[in-house]
């Protein structure tokens, strides 16, 4: 059967997010015939929902803006926060390839980037950058995309909340749009509603894949290799349960097509996996439809657990908060929902400026019991089911910290990221203007980060540590280079693009 094929190409790319399309673009630019298969009806993957940030130390965009960072400092930081959870050669491949990748892309007029200051997520770690190592794609006018915009996965506000498409294509939308524009000038065959769920292996080599598209099931032979960059398995409840990933599939921010089918195909072909219990976590404000969505940019409020006590620095980066939530749940001191407590200085709507999916009308949240109020903290405590005395004491203690300008319990405001969204007043905002309010939160994620183990060239390894020739992985289909931490904004997409680029160069013999 390994010799019976319906079609051939040099490189098959599974997925269509930032990494997949970077790999496709690189392979096509290097003269290879590329087929891209996307399981859903839109291109873009999770990247299209994202802000499109890229964590690429010492790149030309940052240098042009006057950044004085060095690759040695970036390595010091990354190694310090990631530790030895992932191979050092994998970490260094990521760190050393980001800047050359930006040069590679910027040599094509389809691409343009801008600096977007975003502090590193472990501000006390050695050589952390207070302004970050972070760039974004320049926005695009929709007219430049033309009909391609109809093929581009819309932003979350449109896709999940029904809002009109924005007037300008920004963030992850712009990154995918620019990649699609670049690919229209290359020899790439882009297919939607085409699922890859099997690989053909001949000895120690993957020689092709089995896909199902609108016209049925067929086999594609690959002369150079298959790149799996189709996201994680965050929307697959059974797979989450099998590997013990905390949280619910409905609260994940990835598209519904992120079911891990290509990851499973890799496992079936003998690939090793790692980090399969992990995800890119975040607190998630809970909506009347029952979902809890990725939330950040808190301009006030505190989180309390089942005992009515604070348990975290509320201004920390979202993944760090998410991990504390998971730890607290494991001890039995926090059940979902947990609550953000805030006062009436801005009315009953919570002091959360970014919720991924836009908030609806206040009444809908109140009717669902997700936003509740009380004239006193005792009354509020009764309504959310926490001890009144403990909540009152928690707020009193926090207000004292706010007055003194120092959070003795959780050091809120000590690191640059803590202050990035706080404005001139800082993140320690007292809770004193009644009536008092509480908003329900859950646990969200930006996708799972466990996947196929690879070497530093993105070649997939088998369970004995040997390379499976012809099979590559990147992004959330690959075991994350950052291990169990989230070093900085733009790390997931940046790493996805780097390893897809390296995979394509390897397939091209470079």
């Amino acid at each position: 059967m390994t010799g019976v094929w319906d079609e051939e190409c040099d490189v098959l790319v599974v997925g269509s997010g930032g990494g997949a399309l970077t790999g496709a673009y690189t392979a096509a630019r290097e003269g290879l015939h590329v087929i891209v298969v996307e399981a859903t009806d839109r291109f873009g993957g999770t990247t299209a929902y994202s802000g499109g940030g890229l964590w690429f130390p010492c790149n030309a965009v940052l240098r042009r803006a006057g950044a004085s960072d060095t690759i040695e400092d970036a390595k010091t930081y990354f190694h310090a926060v990631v530790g030895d959870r992932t191979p050092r050669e994998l970490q260094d491949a990521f760190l050393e390839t980001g800047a050359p990748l930006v040069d590679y892309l910027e040599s094509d007029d389809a691409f343009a980037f801008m600096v977007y200051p975003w502090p590193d997520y472990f501000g006390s770690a050695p050589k952390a950058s207070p302004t970050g190592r972070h760039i974004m794609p320049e926005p695009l006018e929709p007219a430049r995309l033309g009909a391609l915009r109809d093929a581009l996965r819309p932003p979350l506000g449109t896709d999940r909340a029904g809002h009109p498409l924005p007037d300008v294509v920004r963030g992850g939308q712009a990154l995918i749009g620019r990649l699609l524009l670049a690919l229209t000038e290359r020899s790439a065959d882009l297919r939607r509603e085409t699922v890859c769920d099997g690989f053909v292996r001949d000895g120690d080599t993957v020689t092709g894949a089995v896909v199902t598209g609108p016209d049925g099931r067929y086999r594609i032979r690959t002369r150079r290799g298959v790149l799996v960059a189709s996201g994680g398995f965050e929307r697959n409840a059974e797979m989450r349960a099998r590997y013990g990933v905390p949280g619910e599939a409905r609260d994940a921010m990835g598209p519904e097509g992120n079911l891990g089918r290509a990851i499973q195909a890799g496992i079936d072909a003998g690939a090793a996996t790692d980090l399969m219990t992990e995800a890119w976590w975040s607190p998630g404000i809970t909506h009347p439809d029952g979902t809890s969505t990725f939330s950040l940019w808190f301009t006030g409020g505190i989180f309390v657990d089942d005992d009515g006590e604070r348990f975290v620095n509320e201004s920390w980066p979202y993944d760090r908060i998410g991990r504390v939530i998971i730890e607290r749940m494991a001890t039995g001191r926090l059940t979902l929902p947990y609550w953000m407590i805030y006062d009436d200085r801005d009315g009953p709507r919570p002091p959360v400026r970014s919720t991924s999916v836009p908030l609806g009308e206040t009444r809908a949240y109140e009717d669902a019991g997700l936003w509740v109020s009380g004239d006193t903290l005792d009354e509020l405590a009764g309504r959310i089911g926490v001890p009144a005395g403990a909540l009152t004491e928690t707020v009193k203690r926090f207000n004292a910290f706010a007055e003194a300008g120092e959070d003795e319990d959780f050091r809120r405001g000590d690191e640059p990221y803590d202050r990035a969204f706080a404005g001139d007043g800082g993140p320690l905002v007292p809770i004193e203007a009644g009536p008092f309010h509480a908003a329900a939160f859950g646990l969200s994620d930006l996708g799972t980060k466990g996947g196929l183990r690879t070497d530093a060239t993105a070649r997939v390894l088998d369970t004995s540590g040997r390379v499976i020739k012809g099979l590559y992985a990147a992004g959330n289909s690959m075991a994350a280079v950052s291990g169990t931490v989230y070093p900085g904004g733009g790390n997931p997409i940046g790493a996805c693009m780097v390893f897809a680029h390296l995979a394509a160069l390897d397939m091209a013999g470079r």
Side-chain angles (χ1 to χ4, degrees):
M1 289 296 293
T2 58
V4 180
W5 304 101
D6 300 295
E7 195 170 359
E8 293 189 8
C9 64
D10 291 319
V11 175
L12 175 67
V13 177
V14 184
S16 68
L21 294 187
T22 298
Y25 168 78
T26 301
R29 177 166 160 175
E30 297 299 320
L32 302 179
H33 173 221
V34 179
I35 295 175
V36 175
V37 293
E38 163 56 43
T40 72
D41 64 347
R42 300 292 180 94
F43 297 121
T46 307
T47 303
Y49 286 157
S50 76
L54 308 171
W55 198 87
F56 287 149
C58 308
N59 69 74
V61 185
L62 293 170
R63 291 200 308 271
R64 290 195 295 266
S68 58
D69 194 19
T70 67
I71 193 64
E72 290 75 19
D73 284 355
K75 286 183 176 181
T76 296
Y77 171 74
F78 198 85
H79 294 161
V81 299
V82 176
D84 60 2
R85 182 59 184 82
T86 61
R88 183 61 56 90
E89 59 269 22
L90 202 68
Q91 297 179 33
D92 287 347
F94 168 51
L95 295 163
E96 293 168 3
T97 306
L101 173 56
V102 172
D103 294 341
Y104 187 87
L105 296 174
E106 284 197 320
S107 66
D108 186 323
D109 290 341
F111 299 98
F113 300 97
M114 62 183 184
V115 176
Y116 196 87
W118 196 270
D120 283 340
Y121 285 176
F122 291 81
S124 299
K127 302 302 181 180
S129 172
T131 55
R133 294 156 165 126
H134 184 268
I135 62 173
M136 294 179 67
E138 291 272 8
L140 279 171
E141 291 298 324
R144 188 171 172 192
L145 285 174
L148 283 173
R149 198 180 194 194
D150 294 333
L152 172 59
R153 180 172 301 284
L156 278 163
T158 301
D159 212 18
R160 295 199 189 179
H163 287 210
L165 282 169
D167 293 336
V168 177
V169 181
R170 302 182 185 276
Q173 294 267 302
L175 179 61
I176 297 299
R178 290 180 178 280
L179 283 160
L180 289 174
L181 284 171
L183 281 163
T184 60
E185 301 178 2
R186 311 283 174 178
S187 59
D189 181 350
L190 307 179
R191 304 177 185 180
R192 289 176 281 170
E193 298 182 284
T194 304
V195 175
C196 174
D197 58 9
F199 301 125
V200 180
R201 182 169 174 173
D202 186 3
D204 62 355
T205 303
V206 165
T207 56
V210 183
V211 304
T212 303
D215 296 325
R217 195 164 175 80
Y218 57 100
R219 292 157 57 90
I220 302 174
R221 177 177 179 263
T222 52
R223 291 181 286 267
R224 301 295 183 93
V226 179
L227 169 60
V228 180
S230 54
F233 56 92
E234 61 273 7
R235 302 286 281 185
N236 186 329
E238 184 278 326
M239 214 166 166
R240 290 182 77 116
R242 187 194 322 162
Y243 291 106
V245 180
E248 302 291 335
R250 69 179 185 183
D251 297 328
M253 303 312 301
E256 291 185 0
N258 285 17
L259 299 172
R261 287 173 291 207
I263 295 174
Q264 185 60 54
I267 295 169
D268 294 342
T273 60
D274 194 14
L275 298 164
M276 296 295 278
T277 64
E278 292 290 326
W280 309 93
W281 308 109
S282 80
I285 197 163
T286 304
H287 300 272
D289 67 358
T291 62
S292 299
T293 64
F294 169 58
S295 303
L296 76 162
W297 193 355
F298 305 150
T299 58
I302 59 173
F303 286 131
V304 297
D305 63 15
D306 294 1
D307 296 323
E309 297 177 354
R310 275 183 84 206
F311 60 90
V312 71
N313 172 353
E314 298 86 356
S315 293
W316 253 358
Y318 37 90
D319 185 72
R320 295 178 73 178
I321 296 175
R323 290 177 183 279
V324 174
I325 291 166
I326 292 167
E327 291 170 4
R328 203 75 166 184
M329 290 173 66
T331 67
R333 296 192 62 186
L334 184 149
T335 54
L336 302 182
Y338 56 98
W339 299 90
M340 173 180 275
I341 309 299
Y342 53 103
D343 69 11
D344 199 54
R345 67 188 62 226
D346 295 317
R349 293 176 76 84
V352 183
R353 299 296 179 258
S354 179
T355 58
S356 299
V357 175
L359 296 177
E361 295 296 324
T362 299
R363 182 64 179 270
Y365 291 82
E366 292 174 338
D367 289 348
L370 299 172
W371 297 354
V372 299
S373 303
D375 290 334
T376 66
L377 288 170
D378 281 4
E379 181 183 347
L380 183 67
R383 296 202 62 193
I384 63 174
V386 303
L391 182 62
T392 298
E393 183 58 34
T394 293
V395 171
K396 178 181 178 181
R397 182 173 177 83
F398 177 76
N399 287 347
F401 295 156
E403 183 177 359
E406 181 181 7
D407 179 4
E408 295 180 9
D409 287 342
F410 298 104
R411 313 311 308 174
R412 186 177 185 180
D414 283 10
E415 295 187 358
Y417 185 89
D418 294 11
R419 303 185 294 273
F421 306 108
D424 296 335
L428 298 178
V429 179
I431 300 168
E432 53 193 7
F436 301 97
H437 308 289
F441 274 73
L443 177 68
S444 184
D445 65 67
L446 301 175
T448 50
K449 64 192 301 188
L452 309 180
R453 285 189 60 225
T454 70
D455 67 7
T457 316
R459 298 181 300 176
V460 172
L461 305 176
D462 68 14
T463 53
S464 299
R466 294 186 294 266
V467 169
I468 301 176
K469 297 175 185 177
L471 186 60
Y472 299 77
N476 287 352
S477 300
M478 162 190 169
V481 63
S482 60
T484 58
V485 298
Y486 197 150
N491 185 146
I493 301 175
C496 188
M497 292 174 67
V498 158
F499 286 104
H501 179 65
L502 289 171
L505 289 178
D506 192 68
M507 284 186 269
R510 294 255 328 255

